[in-house]
Structure formats: C-alpha cells, structure tokens
Amino acid sequence: MKSPAWPIWALLVGYPVWWALGFGGLSVVVMAVPMAAILWKRRPIRLPRGLGLWALLLAGYALSALTLGEMPPDTYGALSSGRIVGYVMRLALYVALLIMVLYLGNLTHKELPQLRLVRMLGVLFATTVAGGLLGVFFPRFEFTSPVERLLPGWISGNSFVQNIIHPTAAQIQKVLGHASPRPEAPFEWANAWGSNVSVLLIWFVVGWWVYGGRHRKAAAVALVALASIPVVYSLNRGLWIGLGVAAAYVMLRVGGRTRLTIGLAAVGAAAVFALSPLASLVSQRLDNPHSNDIRAFTVSATIQAAGYSPVIGFGNTRNALGNHRTITTGKTEWCGECGHPPLGSDGQLWLLIITQGFVGAFLYVAFFAGAVFRHWRDRSPIGLAGVLVMLLVLLYMFVYDGLVTPLSLYLISFALLWRNQSVS
C-alpha cells in the first residue's frame, strides 16, 4: 500500500523533475490536490497554533482582488491579464501552502518520521548545490519546458510566469560592473536560490551531521565545501548575512564541546576561504553595492503607494513612475538596466505592503514571530533548527521575496516545529 506521505516525497526529492517540466515552485500547487484528498479522509483535522494568522492573511489577499484595478499616485499601467495572472498564481500558492501545513501536521510520525522529512530537505539541498554549480560553470544553460510550450503566449509571456516555467541555470547581471553569472537553478530567481540554500543547509546539517553516522558526516563536509563555490558566486549579500546570523545563533544556543567544535570549524573554514580565490570575489561584491539606491527608491515608493490602501493593499505589484536616477525611465543602448522598478520587488515585507497593505504585512510577521516565541524552549536539534529558520524568515523579508519556492520551505519548517511538539 502506498504511503500517505508520498506527495511530500514527490515534492522535495522529485523537485528536479518538476523544474524540468516547467512547474518549478508551483509544484506545491499541483501536489496540494492529493494532499487535500488525504486530509479529507482524516477528518477531524488537527490545527496548529498560529495558523489562524495565515488564514487571515489568505482571506485578506482574497479581499485585495477588489483593488486590482486601482492605481495609486506616481504609478502607471492599466488593469491587464498579466496583473490578474500574477494575482491568481499568488492566491493559489497561499492556499496550497495552507493545505501543505495541515497535511504534514496530520500525518503520524509512523507515516512520516521527522528525520525522514528532514533528510528529504537534505536531498533538496544536494539538488540546490548541483544547480548552483551548474549556474557557475554553465551559466547560459536554459531550455524550453513542456509547460512553457503548452501555455498560450499571453500567459507564458508574463515575466512572473516566465521566471517559473522557463528553466535557466543563472541570471547574468552586471553586479560587479561586468557581466557575471548568479546561480538560480533549480529555482526561479538568484535571490530565491540564496534564500533556499541557506534554509536547506540548516536541515541538511541536522539530517546528515547531527543524526548522521561517520559516512554521512564525511559526505556532509564534502557537500558543504562544494556549496561554498556557488554561495560565493551568487554575489548574494543577504545570503552571506543570513549564514553569519545562523552561525552566531548556533554558537549562542548550544554549549560545551559542540560550541567548541563549531568555533574551531568556523575558524578553519575562514582561514581556508581567505587563502582561496573566492575571497577576492566577495571583496569585489562588497565594494559594488549597486542595488542600494534602487532598493531605497522602491521601498520608499512602496510605502508611499500603500498609504492609499493601507488595509487591503492593491492585490498585486505596480510599476513606479521613474526610478532612483530620473523620472523618465526605459531601456536604451547606453543603459540596458534602466526601467520601471516594480513596487514590492525588494523583499517579502514590501511585497505584502503593496499587495495586502500594512495589515497583511503585520499578519505575516506575527505568524512567524509567534512560531519563534512558542518554540524557543524546544532545544532539540529540530527545534533549534526550526526556530533558526523562522528567524531567517524575519530577516529575509527585508531583502528577499518569499515567492515562490522560499515560502514552501518556510512553511515546511513551520510544520516540522509543530510536529516536533508531539514527538514522544
């Protein structure tokens, strides 16, 4: 008899297949159908504390459809199919994530042991490292997915949709003043890769090091060493800060020999890194903070626009008039990066503010902060790791959009914390 936990195995271990097919992060929407069917057979359904906040967030987003046609001052663009498609995809994702959390929490530990779920995330970490290396060494690798071929042009041509359904190895950007690849495979954006690899690294360490034997630990060291290459080449300052926060958190919350071992390992890794060619790349990135002015402009414009619909927002992003340099924007031969920056594109917090107002942003923060508060005393490896992920969610919301795949990993981590309460 097939295990009722098969949908999560298909989602995490089978993720490379979803990516190649063109579903990518929206695979959770597809797998939410069998998850919902399994839940329906298990009534009454157990609910975790705090899930009401996510339900309110979902309800608020449904209500924000009323303002999809509204245009706040200093933005432009009429209501279009692209805006509606983006809204529907986000709504479907939020609903699917709610179903996924309930599904995971209502499986017994015999049906899906905690360690098995953690190791599934570890497999996805290995997939992510492989995708990162692909982006470093073969940055122009891409192909047309089956989903992309089947969708009508008015849907597949939408930029938000295109990033999900068209598999690419890397984004080529001029972060250092010249074209350089930033790994993104097997996810939708380079920043999504950065967020995801840090979250998956945490669970990989738990599954392969903390609960691993000698051979697993040796494999873990080798894979983490390989991961350092795309981590540096990602030029992702948010990721680097997140890893620093994670290291500090572990040092503060564990003691004894574990703390000493981590400290010595960190010193050794830092020395090796400083002597490697990767160190100069980090130095170049820190010397080229090209995105700071852009972020400052879009954040300011987002908050200003949200003031015209502070309770339910505008349902989707809007394009700003002008950018941080000028009130007239657009791509030219001498400025290929010029354009109209979408409001809410610089972090999940700002995305929520423009799409769901300040109320939606508050509910999101309260949901994850509440998880930290409730589970802080859980000092098991899974409890410590889950709380760390919740803290990274609150950090990353200032610089990373949670859509599409990061939110799935955030909510799986939330479910791991919830399930950990019932471990005997």
Side-chain angles (χ1 to χ4, degrees), residues 153-242:
W154 65 272
I155 296 180
S156 62
N158 178 274
S159 59
F160 179 64
V161 177
Q162 181 69 194
N163 278 314
I164 297 171
I165 65 174
H166 185 75
T168 54
Q171 288 181 280
I172 309 298
Q173 298 179 340
K174 296 182 179 179
V175 176
L176 303 178
H178 56 82
S180 55
R182 299 184 64 204
E184 64 178 1
F187 304 115
E188 52 274 1
W189 294 283
N191 281 348
W193 189 92
S195 172
N196 293 345
V197 76
S198 62
V199 171
L200 291 168
L201 171 62
I202 293 166
W203 294 118
F204 177 74
V205 169
V206 173
W208 262 257
W209 181 268
V210 177
Y211 289 117
R214 183 177 61 183
H215 296 300
R216 283 188 184 273
K217 288 182 178 181
V221 171
L223 189 58
V224 171
L226 277 176
S228 66
I229 298 172
V231 163
V232 172
Y233 273 91
S234 71
L235 304 177
N236 203 316
R237 292 173 298 171
L239 165 60
W240 300 343
I241 293 171

Side-chain angles (χ1 to χ4, degrees), residues 348-388:
Q348 184 67 15
L349 180 65
W350 320 118
L351 177 66
L352 287 164
I353 286 176
I354 190 66
T355 59
Q356 293 184 245
F358 297 102
V359 173
F362 171 80
L363 291 171
Y364 180 88
V365 173
F367 176 78
F368 289 107
V372 172
F373 178 79
R374 286 190 301 275
H375 299 283
W376 184 261
R377 293 185 179 180
D378 184 351
R379 300 188 70 86
S380 68
I382 288 177
L384 290 170
V387 169
L388 172 56

Side-chain angles (χ1 to χ4, degrees), residues 73-394:
D74 298 322
T75 64
Y76 75 96
L79 180 62
S80 63
S81 60
R83 187 180 299 172
I84 296 173
V85 167
Y87 170 84
V88 171
M89 290 179 68
R90 289 186 178 97
L91 181 61
L93 179 66
Y94 288 149
V95 173
L97 292 175
L98 176 63
I99 293 171
M100 183 186 69
V101 169
L102 293 174
Y103 157 80
L104 286 172
N106 282 272
L107 290 175
T108 67
H109 290 282
K110 183 178 181 180
E111 293 168 327
L112 181 61
Q114 287 282 77
L115 183 56
R116 185 180 302 169
L117 177 53
V118 169
R119 285 184 173 161
M120 287 181 191
L121 291 167
V123 171
L124 185 54
F125 173 73
T127 300
T128 302
V129 173
L133 292 171
L134 178 68
V136 171
F137 296 109
F138 302 96
R140 300 193 183 278
F141 175 82
E142 61 178 294
F143 60 92
T144 302
S145 70
V147 169
E148 187 178 3
R149 293 183 186 279
L150 292 173
L151 285 177
W154 65 272
I155 296 180
S156 62
N158 178 274
S159 59
F160 179 64
V161 177
Q162 181 69 194
N163 278 314
I164 297 171
I165 65 174
H166 185 75
T168 54
Q171 288 181 280
I172 309 298
Q173 298 179 340
K174 296 182 179 179
V175 176
L176 303 178
H178 56 82
S180 55
R182 299 184 64 204
E184 64 178 1
F187 304 115
E188 52 274 1
W189 294 283
N191 281 348
W193 189 92
S195 172
N196 293 345
V197 76
S198 62
V199 171
L200 291 168
L201 171 62
I202 293 166
W203 294 118
F204 177 74
V205 169
V206 173
W208 262 257
W209 181 268
V210 177
Y211 289 117
R214 183 177 61 183
H215 296 300
R216 283 188 184 273
K217 288 182 178 181
V221 171
L223 189 58
V224 171
L226 277 176
S228 66
I229 298 172
V231 163
V232 172
Y233 273 91
S234 71
L235 304 177
N236 203 316
R237 292 173 298 171
L239 165 60
W240 300 343
I241 293 171
L243 292 176
V245 169
Y249 169 90
V250 173
M251 291 288 289
L252 288 172
R253 298 215 66 196
V254 301
R257 293 178 60 184
T258 303
R259 179 183 295 178
L260 178 62
T261 300
I262 293 172
L264 291 174
V267 171
V272 171
F273 174 79
L275 297 173
S276 75
L278 297 177
S280 63
L281 196 62
V282 172
S283 179
Q284 290 179 59
R285 177 64 179 100
L286 297 178
D287 289 339
N288 289 273
H290 84 297
S291 63
N292 291 359
D293 292 339
I294 301 172
R295 287 182 179 273
F297 171 82
T298 54
V299 168
S300 175
T302 297
I303 293 173
Q304 182 178 350
Y308 294 92
S309 182
V311 178
I312 63 173
F314 293 97
N316 205 337
T317 60
R318 297 294 188 273
N319 285 325
L321 285 174
N323 61 20
H324 65 292
R325 291 191 181 96
T326 174
I327 60 172
T328 60
T329 58
K331 291 184 179 180
T332 65
E333 292 183 0
W334 56 271
C335 187
E337 296 180 352
C338 292
H340 304 276
L343 302 183
S345 60
D346 292 312
Q348 184 67 15
L349 180 65
W350 320 118
L351 177 66
L352 287 164
I353 286 176
I354 190 66
T355 59
Q356 293 184 245
F358 297 102
V359 173
F362 171 80
L363 291 171
Y364 180 88
V365 173
F367 176 78
F368 289 107
V372 172
F373 178 79
R374 286 190 301 275
H375 299 283
W376 184 261
R377 293 185 179 180
D378 184 351
R379 300 188 70 86
S380 68
I382 288 177
L384 290 170
V387 169
L388 172 56
V389 173
M390 299 298 101
L391 291 172
L392 288 182
V393 173
L394 296 173

